[in-house]
């Protein structure tokens, strides 16, 4: 699912302000068997990660290090805590509003915390159904394989080497690139 979400559109109407971005960077978390997952076996189900346990196509929104909001798309069947972290979007509509929300700081939405700030996403959207406003996933376009790379995950201490981060090569919405990436 992390690869499949590249090219999809994330549409926010939070606060009555429409912003749209095409998803250009994602990172997969595989549930109980993934030691980097918030729902790893050693952690289990908690109040914080309950959204990861389903239903699918809902948002799992949490604070990272108590500072930045991050949004995930729940992808597992109900009870199977799998999710894809949205790491970056390229603005399609509402770029001025995104820039205002980011207080003029750039890049606008490259990185999960920046993405959430630019799109107005916070903890009130945890467990939100992503087929309904104010935050929706909509079809976009297919990103050709030649334009996609995979790398290890960012900001995790365990299982970082797993090639579960996918990004559109050359996109301004990608948070960072790494040497040693592979086409996905």
């Amino acid at each position: 699912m992390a690869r499949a979400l590249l090219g999809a559109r994330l549409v926010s109407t939070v606060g009555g302000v429409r912003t749209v971005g095409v998803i250009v960077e994602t990172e997969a978390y595989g549930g109980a068997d993934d030691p980097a997952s918030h729902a790893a076996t050693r952690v289990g189900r908690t109040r914080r990660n309950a959204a990861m346990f389903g239903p699918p196509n809902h948002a799992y929104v949490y604070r990272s290090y108590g500072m930045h909001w991050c949004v995930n798309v729940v992808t597992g069947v109900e009870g199977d805590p799998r999710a894809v972290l949205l790491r970056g979007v390229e603005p399609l509509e509402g770029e001025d509003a995104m820039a205002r929300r980011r207080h003029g700081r750039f890049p606008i939405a490259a990185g999960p915390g920046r993405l959430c700030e630019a799109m107005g996403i916070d903890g009130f959207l945890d467990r939100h159904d992503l087929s309904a406003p104010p935050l929706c996933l909509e079809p976009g376009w297919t990103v050709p394989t030649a334009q996609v790379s995979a790398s290890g995950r960012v900001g995790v201490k365990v299982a970082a080497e797993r090639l579960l981060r996918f990004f559109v090569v050359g996109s301004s919405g990608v948070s960072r690139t790494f040497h040693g990436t592979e086409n996905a």
Side-chain angles (χ1 to χ4, degrees), residues 41-80:
T41 302
R42 72 186 187 296
V43 177
R45 188 179 187 136
T46 66
R47 202 168 108 190
R48 177 188 186 210
N49 72 15
M52 281 187 79
F53 288 80
N57 201 44
H58 280 64
Y60 166 44
V61 182
Y62 65 91
R63 281 268 208 204
S64 177
Y65 303 109
M67 298 172 25
H68 307 287
W69 291 109
C70 295
V71 63
N72 293 254
V73 178
V74 176
T75 58
V77 296
E78 199 145 353
D80 183 14

Side-chain angles (χ1 to χ4, degrees), residues 139-152:
W141 48 84
T142 302
V143 180
T145 300
Q147 294 179 344
V148 177
S149 279
S151 76

Side-chain angles (χ1 to χ4, degrees), residues 19-126:
T19 55
V20 181
V22 61
I23 299 170
V24 295
E25 184 181 4
T26 61
E27 203 166 81
Y29 289 89
D33 295 333
D34 183 346
S37 172
H38 288 174
T41 302
R42 72 186 187 296
V43 177
R45 188 179 187 136
T46 66
R47 202 168 108 190
R48 177 188 186 210
N49 72 15
M52 281 187 79
F53 288 80
N57 201 44
H58 280 64
Y60 166 44
V61 182
Y62 65 91
R63 281 268 208 204
S64 177
Y65 303 109
M67 298 172 25
H68 307 287
W69 291 109
C70 295
V71 63
N72 293 254
V73 178
V74 176
T75 58
V77 296
E78 199 145 353
D80 183 14
R82 298 177 185 274
V84 173
L85 173 64
L86 301 183
R87 290 196 52 86
V89 300
E90 272 189 29
L92 294 176
E93 289 180 43
E95 188 169 353
D96 290 343
M98 290 181 187
R100 278 192 305 278
R101 285 177 175 154
R102 295 261 311 122
H103 308 287
R105 296 183 308 252
F106 286 89
I108 289 180
R114 293 177 187 131
L115 180 157
C116 284
E117 188 174 26
M119 303 288 286
I121 299 168
D122 63 21
F124 288 108
L125 289 168
D126 189 38

